[in-house]
């Protein structure tokens, strides 16, 4: 894998730090007028999600990390692992709950999502920005209320709970933004 | 969407820059400080191992000469001072290779001035007068603070900047989210000071006021004189506003022998670190040997000053064309 100097640290670059794959978030050049130049780098550990700041001497370099993000289809949950498939190669990958993390509550069988691979092993899962899921449980709303004000909690087929308008009912399919967890609209079938 | 042919700053910023330059020139005209110009392209270059330069080829067949773009006009201005110019100032471009970031562009504008017969505290009075007047009509500063390096360093870190206690410095770094400093700095006192000052002190300096830090540790003396009463410190001042380093001033070293020695030390350091070869400015040494009048001088980064005047987040916002579009 190539190595990258502090001058090449750009947001999104994947590098190895303390034996973990990391992504550069921000890179600030710090140089006292009469002193050594540094780069103050904000960096996310891709395995833990933790963000740290680290200072390097300008010109120092880090080894690149073999990290790729791949669109995959979520297949099923066997109780211990969740299984994903790369649709072109049909190659399958399995992830435990720790790797899937918060994405789990948005994953429906057959839906597409993004799996991050480090040295060809999954380290993270990101659901699609928008998912369409069926409501399995919500209080019956007041008929005729279309204002959308107020709202009520609704439990979805994948286990996620989102706030929906009062007029939305059990068994209806809705569109949700997974980045904010917000209801977007009803989906007409 | 902006295209690459367009300037990175607004037309309003061009006007603000022109106004700032006019006010600076009026300030020095009133004080009878002479405006001068010195070459940007020279046969020699500063030896500071922390400054990288641009070199170019001068073709005068059959000979070819290597010339340097100046990292600061300091040496040429001192040669003018030694030849009897009296107090002088210059607004010019300076070039530093590899420096690019939110506060850096490899080509930038400097205001540099020298006051014959001024001590450092006298120069600091004049600096404050100029800076306060420039800010007055935009976002007036709330005050001017003068504090010694040792006191401000102690205040923010609890450490003594003048006495290098490796264990104390390491303990501080390990307990203040800067553990990498231990391997980065090892036993290099000057490097420790650079890291700790820029990370733990500088960001807090000069909240809407001008903060002047003086009495730098002797290991960071650069071209300043060692203090006559305390050899641990040097007569050097740095300016900060809202955590941004704005300028660097000295009670100027006039001793040719010591200057020559410092050049040689820096050249040796450059060789040790495999840095580009430099040509020592023998003409500056000769000028000092003839006699540089007692003087104090300072260089201020005008692009950063403009950033602060206009509350801009990036140097690109105040440059017509930053390096990416130049």
């Amino acid at each position: 894998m190539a190595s990258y100097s502090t001058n090449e640290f750009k947001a999104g670059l994947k590098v190895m730090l303390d034996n973990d794959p990391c992504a550069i978030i921000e890179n600030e050049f710090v140089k006292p007028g009469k002193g050594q130049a540094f780069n103050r780098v904000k960096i996310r550990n891709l395995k833990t999600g933790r963000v740290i700041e680290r200072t390097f001497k300008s010109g120092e370099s880090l080894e690149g990390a073999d990290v790729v993000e791949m669109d995959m289809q979520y297949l099923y949950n066997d109780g211990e692992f969740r299984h994903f498939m790369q649709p072109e190669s049909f190659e399958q990958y399995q992830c435990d709950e720790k790797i899937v993390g918060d994405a789990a509550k948005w994953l429906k069988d057959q839906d597409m999502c993004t799996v991050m691979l480090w040295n060809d092993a999954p380290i993270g899962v990101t659901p699609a920005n928008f998912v369409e899921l069926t409501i399995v449980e919500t209080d019956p709303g007041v008929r005729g209320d279309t204002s959308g004000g107020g709202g009520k909690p609704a439990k979805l087929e994948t286990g996620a709970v989102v706030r929906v308008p009062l007029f939305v009912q059990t068994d209806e399919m809705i569109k949700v933004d997974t980045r904010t967890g917000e209801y977007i609209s009803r989906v007409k079938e | 969407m902006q295209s690459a042919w367009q300037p990175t700053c607004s037309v309003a910023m061009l006007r603000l820059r022109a106004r700032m330059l006019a006010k600076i020139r009026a300030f020095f005209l009133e004080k009878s400080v002479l405006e001068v110009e010195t070459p940007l392209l020279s046969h020699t270059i500063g030896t500071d191992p922390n400054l990288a330069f641009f070199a170019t080829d001068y073709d005068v067949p059959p000979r070819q000469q290597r010339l340097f773009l100046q990292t600061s006009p300091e040496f040429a201005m001192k040669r003018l001072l030694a030849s009897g110019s009296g107090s002088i100032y210059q607004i010019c471009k300076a070039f530093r290779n590899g420096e690019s970031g939110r506060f850096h562009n490899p080509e930038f504008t400097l205001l540099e001035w020298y006051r014959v017969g001024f001590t450092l505290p006298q120069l600091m009075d004049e600096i404050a007068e100029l800076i306060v007047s420039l800010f007055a009509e935009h976002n007036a500063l709330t005050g001017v603070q003068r504090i010694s390096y040792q006191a401000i360093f102690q205040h923010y870190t609890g450490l003594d900047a003048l006495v290098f206690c490796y264990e104390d410095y390491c303990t501080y770094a390990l307990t203040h989210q800067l553990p990498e400093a231990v391997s980065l700095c090892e036993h290099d006192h000057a490097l420790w000071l650079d890291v700790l000052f820029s990370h733990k002190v500088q960001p807090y300096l000069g909240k809407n006021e001008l903060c002047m830090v003086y009495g730098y540790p002797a290991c960071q003396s650069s071209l300043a004189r060692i203090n006559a009463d305390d050899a641990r410190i040097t007569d050097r001042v740095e300016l900060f506003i809202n955590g941004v380093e704005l300028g660097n001033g000295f009670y100027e070293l006039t001793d040719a022998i010591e200057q020559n020695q410092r050049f040689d030390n820096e050249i040796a350091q450059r060789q040790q670190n495999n840095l580009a070869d430099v040509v020592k400015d023998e003409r500056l040494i000769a000028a000092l040997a003839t006699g540089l009048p007692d003087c104090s001088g300072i260089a201020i980064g005008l692009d950063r000053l403009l950033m602060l005047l206009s509350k801009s987040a990036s140097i690109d916002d105040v440059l017509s064309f930053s390096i990416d579009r130049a």
Side-chain angles (χ1 to χ4, degrees):
Chain A
M1 202 70 198
S3 67
Y4 297 93
S5 131
T6 52
N7 296 324
E8 301 169 284
F9 287 6
K10 297 255 154 60
L13 181 73
K14 313 287 195 303
V15 292
M16 294 299 298
L17 183 66
D18 304 334
N19 301 315
D20 274 349
C22 295
I24 307 278
I25 301 171
E26 218 176 82
N27 176 16
E28 180 126 311
F29 181 69
V30 179
K31 185 177 188 312
K34 305 279 173 191
Q36 167 74 38
F38 309 108
N39 287 71
R40 186 83 174 141
V41 182
K42 208 182 258 182
I43 200 163
R44 174 180 282 111
N45 183 315
L46 294 171
K47 281 171 76 177
T48 64
R50 268 190 66 206
V51 174
I52 58 159
E53 284 198 290
R54 181 72 75 90
T55 295
F56 300 89
K57 259 192 214 177
S58 288
E60 261 189 273
S61 55
L62 289 177
E63 200 188 330
D66 180 11
V67 172
V68 289
E69 288 184 299
M70 218 175 254
D71 290 337
M72 291 199 199
Q73 189 174 33
Y74 170 56
L75 300 177
Y76 61 93
N77 181 357
D78 69 8
E80 190 180 355
F81 294 106
R82 288 177 188 255
H83 296 260
F84 299 83
M85 183 180 71
Q86 212 276 316
E88 283 89 46
S89 66
F90 303 109
E91 203 168 335
Q92 292 194 19
Y93 294 87
Q94 59 177 35
C95 304
D96 61 22
E97 289 302 321
K98 215 177 120 219
I99 291 169
V100 177
D102 278 351
K105 65 180 182 186
W106 304 114
L107 289 179
K108 185 169 79 168
D109 295 4
Q110 317 307 324
D111 273 2
M112 293 302 291
C113 59
T114 306
V115 176
M116 188 181 281
L117 301 173
W118 171 44
N119 295 335
D120 211 36
I123 53 169
V125 177
T126 313
N129 289 346
F130 298 101
V131 292
E132 295 177 354
L133 298 168
T134 305
I135 297 174
V136 293
E137 195 187 321
T138 188
D139 287 343
V142 185
R143 283 193 77 82
D145 180 353
T146 53
S147 70
K152 59 181 179 179
K155 189 172 176 194
L156 308 179
E157 57 184 310
T158 53
V161 175
V162 297
R163 279 201 84 75
V164 300
L166 295 174
F167 59 82
V168 178
Q169 304 301 332
T170 303
D171 293 333
E172 280 191 286
M173 188 180 270
I174 60 167
K175 185 175 174 182
V176 181
D177 186 330
T178 59
R179 293 162 296 184
T180 58
E182 277 172 11
Y183 164 92
I184 302 293
S185 64
R186 280 197 286 191
V187 179
K188 297 273 180 325
E189 285 184 82
Chain B
M1 190 62 191
Q2 275 229 324
S3 318
W5 69 265
Q6 290 175 299
T8 45
C9 77
S10 63
V11 172
M13 191 60 72
L14 297 177
R15 293 207 184 94
L16 187 60
R17 178 181 287 264
R19 181 155 178 72
M20 174 182 78
L21 294 175
K23 286 173 75 175
I24 292 170
R25 290 200 160 96
F27 178 87
F28 287 113
L29 183 66
E30 199 205 324
K31 292 186 179 290
S32 301
V33 177
L34 182 68
E35 178 166 15
V36 296
E37 287 187 359
T38 56
L40 295 182
L41 208 50
S42 294
H43 287 92
T44 59
I45 189 72
T47 51
D48 186 339
N50 289 315
L51 292 183
F53 51 77
F54 291 90
T56 187
D57 296 321
Y58 176 40
D59 289 316
V60 273
R63 289 181 306 141
Q64 199 184 49
Q65 291 181 328
R66 189 166 177 236
L67 296 181
F68 302 92
L69 282 171
Q70 294 304 289
T71 51
S72 114
E74 178 159 2
F75 295 172
M77 291 181 80
K78 283 183 175 167
R79 284 162 61 192
L80 294 183
L81 289 161
S83 58
S85 66
S87 296
I88 50 176
Y89 81 99
Q90 169 158 226
I91 295 171
C92 66
K93 289 296 185 82
F95 300 83
R96 295 182 185 177
N97 212 338
E99 298 193 3
S100 177
R102 208 152 67 80
F103 294 100
H104 296 81
N105 194 63
E107 173 182 345
F108 61 101
T109 305
L110 270 183
L111 161 65
E112 181 144 336
W113 86 88
Y114 292 87
R115 283 301 227 145
V116 173
F118 273 36
T119 60
L120 200 56
Q122 284 176 300
L123 184 69
M124 284 159 71
D125 290 341
E126 192 165 84
I127 293 165
E129 191 186 337
L130 173 66
I131 300 288
V132 167
S133 75
L134 289 174
F135 275 84
E137 69 179 60
H138 301 281
N139 41 343
L141 298 174
T142 54
V144 177
Q145 186 194 19
R146 296 169 181 233
I147 189 158
S148 76
Y149 190 102
Q150 189 180 25
I152 199 79
F153 200 81
Q154 167 87 37
H155 178 77
Y156 284 107
T157 66
L159 297 169
D160 187 342
L162 302 185
V163 181
F164 181 48
C165 175
Y166 176 71
E167 287 72 28
D168 288 356
Y169 278 47
C170 287
T171 305
Y172 175 82
L174 292 171
T175 52
H176 289 82
Q177 290 90 48
L178 209 57
E180 63 269 35
V182 175
S183 57
L184 201 70
C185 307
E186 298 178 329
H187 288 271
D188 185 336
H189 185 199
L191 194 51
W192 269 105
L193 294 177
D194 278 344
V195 172
L196 295 180
F197 193 88
S198 59
H199 287 75
K200 299 297 184 187
V201 181
Q202 185 182 327
Y204 310 105
L205 298 182
K207 285 267 178 304
N208 295 318
E209 60 177 19
L210 171 63
C211 175
M212 295 195 271
V213 178
Y214 61 87
Y216 270 63
C219 63
Q220 306 209 318
S221 59
S222 196
L223 281 87
R225 267 194 232 204
I226 297 296
N227 187 273
D229 304 318
D230 184 350
R232 295 175 308 161
I233 60 173
T234 182
D235 291 329
R236 171 179 165 198
V237 61
E238 286 250 9
L239 317 182
F240 301 92
I241 295 177
N242 290 330
V244 178
E245 182 194 11
L246 206 55
N248 183 58
F250 303 131
Y251 183 38
E252 302 293 345
L253 184 64
T254 52
D255 183 335
I257 296 167
E258 187 176 344
Q259 182 65 67
N260 196 35
Q261 186 60 47
R262 288 194 196 181
F263 276 164
D264 288 343
N265 291 346
E266 289 188 335
I267 288 171
Q269 262 188 58
R270 293 188 78 95
Q271 283 164 349
Q272 248 174 32
N273 299 329
N274 290 318
L275 297 171
D277 279 342
V278 292
V279 180
K280 178 164 74 174
D281 194 342
E282 300 284 2
R283 288 167 183 158
L284 175 68
I285 304 288
L288 295 187
T290 305
L292 181 70
D294 253 13
C295 63
S296 293
I298 177 138
I300 291 179
L302 290 186
D303 308 301
R304 286 192 196 162
L305 185 60
L306 193 53
M307 280 176 74
L308 291 164
L309 283 171
S310 60
K311 299 186 173 166
S312 299
S314 163
I315 196 165
D316 292 2
D317 301 338
V318 303
L319 297 170
S320 59
F321 301 102
S322 62
I323 190 67
D324 292 336
R325 294 200 187 173

